[in-house]
Amino acid sequence: MARRRALSSREVDALREVGMHWISDNLYLQIRDQGTRSWLFRYWVDGKPKVIGLGATRDVTLAEARDRADRLRIEIRDGGDPAGQKKAAREERKAERVAAVATAVPTFEECAREYINSHEASWKNDKHRAQWRSTLKTYAYPFIGKKPVNEIGIDEVLKVLKPIWTEKPPTAGNLRGRIDKVLGWATAMGYRSGDNPASRDGPLMHLLPPLGKMKGQKKHHAAVPYREVPAVVAEIRKLDSTSASALLFTVLTAARTGETLGATWDEIDLDEKLWTIPAARMKAGAEHKVPLSDEVIRLLNTLPHTTDGNPHLFPGPRAKTLSNMAMLQCLRGIRDDGATVHGFRASFSTWAREQTDFSPEI
């Protein structure tokens, strides 16, 4: 059988029909709908056709294309597979890029530490900072601490939460929220994408029972029934101690324990009968003004305005302020039913709701 004659340069230039045209052994010209023209090298391995692109005709001349085809034929004759080798090299480069990205992505523990460092200045106390670190270290890091943050999904979050979800509901709830925030931070930093598997509103909540319906969920502070508060106040007045005065002040102002213990004389305006608590000491982070009743004013007038230069209303015997337990111990000396100091806020709000016409917001 006579060998086909390779097309000349003029014959190649004359080709206009869209499709693939034979030029010489293994060398083809591909013409696309848009008119683009490129060289292809076609060959067969184990009866299967393979194709290698040799470049566009505007960049590679016919002579150069034939030269490349000649070299590829020699390579194939010697057992090579140019297309397979090219694909293998492409896959290797892709694997290298993936490995480089994986190396650049921080672990969950690294992200958590960065999140804490970025946000702890806005947290109100050392206890909150310590709880953030301890819960993650105790419950999260053993499971996902060393895992790249972009590889953490619903299964990994479940491994962390399931062991304590029913045994320690309050801790589990706090832990979920902290993982949620760390993963959200990592997404914002570009380390991960997609939904947050620890989100309160995500699929996680369909895989775990509601925390509020399980034994061990967070309970409200026990409160003295508001009808019994006058009797408690009468008992407090019989006591002559700083803790009793602080407790009475707390009951009469419906303040939180920390707000009372941190109160200083420069926050009190006796003439205007007003206590202005700065934003830095408020749970909501906003300045709060508390009107002072005549009874509170009388109480304040019985207190020394300075104690060795201490500006606090209720100084402690060996510290600037009373301890967190001082008022509770005073209350326990009056009642043994588990009532808490914080519960007086609930006593007040219940009284206001049931006995007055003021709105709940007021």
Side-chain angles (χ1 to χ4, degrees):
M1 181 177 178
R3 186 176 180 181
R4 294 177 65 183
R5 179 182 62 82
L7 299 187
S8 67
S9 177
R10 181 178 295 178
E11 289 171 325
V12 172
D13 291 341
L15 295 172
R16 292 289 181 268
E17 185 178 348
V18 173
M20 190 178 297
H21 304 272
W22 183 90
I23 303 300
S24 60
D25 290 346
N26 303 101
L27 181 62
Y28 290 78
L29 174 68
Q30 184 178 51
I31 303 176
R32 295 186 180 277
D33 292 335
Q34 302 86 350
T36 58
R37 300 159 71 90
S38 59
W39 305 112
L40 299 178
F41 181 86
R42 298 186 71 196
Y43 68 103
W44 284 257
V45 173
D46 297 330
K48 296 179 181 179
K50 292 193 175 186
V51 178
I52 298 176
L54 301 182
T57 57
R58 67 174 181 272
D59 301 321
V60 181
T61 66
L62 174 59
E64 290 173 333
R66 282 176 172 155
D67 182 59
R68 293 184 184 182
D70 290 341
R71 284 187 276 113
L72 287 171
R73 273 194 298 274
I74 294 173
E75 184 178 340
I76 293 169
R77 184 194 64 192
D78 293 340
D81 180 4
Q85 294 164 0
K86 189 174 182 179
K87 180 180 179 182
R90 188 167 56 247
E91 292 296 329
E92 183 177 356
R93 289 194 298 272
K94 180 180 178 181
E96 290 174 352
R97 288 195 300 270
V98 171
V101 171
T103 302
V105 174
T107 64
F108 176 84
E109 182 174 346
E110 290 170 336
C111 287
R113 295 185 189 283
E114 287 294 330
Y115 178 88
I116 293 172
N117 291 337
S118 300
H119 290 78
E120 65 178 337
S122 65
W123 297 338
K124 295 186 179 301
N125 55 62
D126 293 337
K127 180 180 179 181
H128 186 62
R129 298 183 184 95
Q131 287 175 337
W132 254 88
R133 289 184 168 88
S134 64
T135 53
L136 291 174
K137 180 179 180 180
T138 303
Y139 302 108
Y141 295 164
F143 292 97
I144 60 175
K146 304 304 180 185
K147 198 171 187 67
V149 73
N150 63 330
E151 296 181 13
I152 295 175
I154 191 75
D155 290 339
E156 287 72 26
V157 176
L158 281 173
K159 286 180 182 177
V160 174
L161 296 178
K162 267 189 172 181
I164 62 171
W165 194 258
T166 57
E167 297 298 322
K168 302 177 180 179
T171 301
N174 290 333
L175 180 60
R176 182 211 59 78
R178 288 163 188 166
I179 295 174
D180 182 6
K181 288 181 171 65
V182 172
L183 295 182
W185 178 87
T187 299
M189 292 295 292
Y191 296 137
R192 56 178 288 120
S193 59
D195 295 334
N196 190 328
S199 171
R200 181 194 301 273
D201 301 320
L204 180 68
M205 294 300 100
H206 298 289
L207 301 175
L208 295 170
L211 284 175
K213 296 184 178 180
M214 294 189 299
K215 181 178 70 174
Q217 71 271 27
K218 187 175 181 179
K219 297 179 179 180
H220 294 293
H221 294 275
V224 174
Y226 72 83
R227 296 184 188 280
E228 300 176 23
V229 170
V232 173
V233 169
E235 292 298 319
I236 295 173
R237 286 202 184 98
K238 296 177 182 179
L239 304 175
D240 182 19
S241 67
T242 303
S243 58
S245 296
L247 178 57
L248 181 58
F249 180 85
T250 301
V251 174
L252 295 176
T253 58
R256 292 184 174 88
T257 298
E259 294 164 3
T260 293
L261 297 180
T264 57
W265 283 106
D266 60 358
E267 297 174 359
I268 304 294
D269 188 331
L270 294 174
D271 295 330
E272 295 294 330
K273 298 182 179 180
L274 195 65
W275 174 25
T276 303
I277 309 175
R281 294 209 306 107
M282 287 300 299
K283 182 177 181 180
E287 182 181 88
H288 183 56
K289 295 183 182 296
V290 182
L292 302 177
S293 65
D294 291 340
E295 190 166 356
V296 176
I297 296 297
R298 284 194 292 271
L299 170 64
L300 292 174
N301 284 330
T302 66
L303 302 178
H305 280 223
T306 58
T307 302
D308 296 329
N310 191 334
H312 292 88
L313 271 62
F314 307 104
R318 290 178 296 277
K320 287 186 177 181
T321 67
L322 291 172
S323 72
N324 288 333
M325 291 296 295
M327 288 189 285
L328 180 59
Q329 290 172 344
C330 181
L331 178 61
R332 286 175 176 172
I334 298 172
R335 300 176 69 98
D336 60 359
D337 59 354
T340 65
V341 177
H342 192 86
F344 283 105
R345 287 170 59 83
S347 305
F348 175 80
S349 64
T350 303
W351 167 80
R353 186 170 57 252
E354 295 184 4
Q355 299 295 322
T356 77
D357 294 325
F358 293 105
S359 68
E361 290 78 8
I362 298 298

